[in-house]
Amino acid sequence: MAIAERNWWTRARVRFLEEVDVQAVHPRRRRVFRLGEEEVMVQWGLAGRRVDRGTWWTSIDVNGAYIVMAPSVEVLEVLEEQQPTSW
């Protein structure tokens, strides 16, 4: 995997390909995303760290976000993006 040259993010509208039951850490909350449901989610990372696109988050709040594995969704539309590298 590549190392990010700068802080990066992708904000996209995604559709769930399966039912996903997840929890946020703080405050402790549970959510079930249903098959076919659409949500705006983000992938993000910091400069100098490995670029990992294996998960999608409901926000960049490490404790409050719901986090789902990338294979559980399909990207319908990229809304905003800052690439991790210049290449």
Side-chain angles (χ1 to χ4, degrees), residues 33-73:
F33 292 99
R34 306 281 181 211
L35 171 67
E37 185 175 345
E38 293 182 15
E39 182 79 20
V40 173
M41 301 187 86
V42 296
Q43 292 181 324
W44 59 278
L46 301 174
R49 296 203 177 160
R50 187 174 53 101
V51 177
D52 181 2
R53 294 193 179 264
T55 56
W56 284 94
W57 299 50
T58 54
S59 77
I60 60 170
D61 177 356
V62 175
N63 291 319
Y66 297 109
I67 304 166
V68 300
M69 301 305 293
S72 296
V73 302

Side-chain angles (χ1 to χ4, degrees), residues 70-86:
S72 296
V73 302
E74 67 174 326
V75 175
L76 300 175
E77 177 184 11
V78 173
L79 303 171
E80 181 180 22
E81 188 168 41
Q82 170 66 55
Q83 292 289 330
T85 61
S86 56

